Amino acid sequence: MKPRLLAAAAALALSAPAALAYEHVTTQSKQAARWTRACVPWWLHEGPTAGLPRPEVGATLRDAFAAWNGVEASFVRFQERGVTCVDGTGADARLGRENVVVFRDAWPYTRNVVALTSLTYDTETGAIMDADVEFNAEGYDFATDGTPTAYDLRLVMMHEAGHMLGLEHSTVSDAVMFRDARAGERAPDALHPDDEAGVVATHPVAASPGACDPAAPVATLDDPHCPAEAAPDDGCAGGRSPRSPFAWALGLSLVALGARSLSARRSRPC
């Protein structure tokens, strides 16, 4: 058992360690949010990376995504696409749909949230259109070497990647998708069976839409991915359509001194 702060959710998990307790983001009609394509591209923003060397950050994020790519019974795969100049979140009507990882030196959300994933999905079918991850580099330090006063970058990214796949928080305290952790806690070597079961439930191999394109271009810091503005009709439809995209943000709160509010959400039509 990983050393975690005592919380009601942890006590529940301890009482039934073998139970699967994953949850999915769902629409009002109970359709689970999921990707309808096999390949989920992601870009790292060209800005500062919380004081850590960019190559180290890139390698750590790559490793975190690889944990989910290793679930053989699931068809969905993350694909690194390099560096982007886009730092907006949600299915932006101006820039199209970019799955961006960005470190915020000025954090605009709830203070005790270390990272936030904004998930945009079809309100009728649950089909995910966009997923963006923001790290709170203003309020928290990140590390890759187990520094006891910092938060493990791989652990946070593994958790947020689960949100990118449509997973909610789990009540299993050993699961990556458990909602809290503490400074200095290291990421596990592999996903918990509860995490794997959660993504397989919505992305089973039998439903695979096809493989990723291995020849997809990878942008560099010298030549980042900077898409031209998309036509207005390419963006979100707001609340006028029964199948309008909806943005739901899911946060991981990593706490050092005691159990607090464990998750922050913000929802809005986009």
Side-chain angles (χ1 to χ4, degrees):
M1 182 69 65
K2 292 184 292 187
R4 289 192 183 273
L5 300 177
L6 182 61
L12 175 61
L14 287 172
S15 68
L20 295 178
Y22 63 81
E23 293 187 17
H24 298 113
V25 174
T26 60
T27 67
Q28 288 187 346
S29 60
K30 304 303 180 182
Q31 294 294 316
R34 67 199 183 283
W35 291 94
T36 57
R37 57 180 177 178
C39 191
V40 178
W42 64 274
W43 288 264
L44 176 60
H45 184 250
E46 64 184 351
T49 50
L52 297 172
R54 176 171 286 272
E56 183 177 315
V57 168
T60 301
L61 299 185
R62 194 177 305 121
D63 188 47
F65 283 117
W68 292 96
N69 287 351
V71 181
E72 295 182 359
S74 167
F75 70 74
V76 70
R77 295 291 182 267
F78 288 107
Q79 184 179 53
E80 182 181 11
R81 296 294 298 277
V83 183
T84 183
C85 67
V86 176
D87 69 351
T89 60
D92 195 306
R94 296 168 302 138
L95 297 174
R97 296 163 185 167
E98 312 291 328
N99 305 314
V100 177
V101 178
V102 58
F103 291 84
R104 300 289 189 200
D105 290 331
W107 187 249
Y109 312 119
T110 303
R111 182 176 59 84
N112 69 330
V113 173
V114 174
L116 195 68
T117 296
S118 295
L119 197 69
T120 306
Y121 57 91
D122 188 300
T123 55
E124 181 178 311
T125 68
I128 300 173
M129 302 174 184
D130 181 88
D132 304 295
V133 176
E134 299 167 89
F135 284 83
N136 182 358
E138 177 184 17
Y140 298 91
D141 294 326
F142 297 94
T144 60
D145 59 359
T147 300
T149 57
Y151 298 93
D152 187 69
L153 182 63
R154 182 172 179 267
L155 173 61
V156 180
M157 189 68 252
M158 286 176 70
H159 181 97
E160 299 305 318
H163 285 322
M164 292 176 73
L165 295 174
L167 286 173
E168 255 279 19
H169 291 130
S170 171
T171 57
V172 175
S173 61
D174 278 342
V176 165
M177 295 312 297
F178 188 68
R179 65 177 62 216
D180 72 351
R182 61 182 179 183
E185 180 176 353
R186 301 302 299 273
D189 293 334
L191 297 173
H192 187 276
D194 188 70
D195 301 313
E196 295 188 0
V199 69
V200 171
T202 46
H203 302 85
V205 167
S208 176
C212 291
D213 177 10
V218 177
T220 66
L221 187 60
D222 293 332
D223 186 20
H225 170 66
C226 291
E229 290 191 352
D233 289 345
D234 291 341
C236 295
R240 296 186 297 275
S241 166
R243 297 188 59 184
S244 62
F246 192 78
W248 194 350
L250 308 102
L252 172 65
S253 297
L254 304 180
V255 296
L257 299 177
R260 306 184 199 171
S261 174
L262 300 181
S263 179
R265 292 178 180 167
R266 56 186 174 88
S267 59
R268 57 179 173 79
C270 70

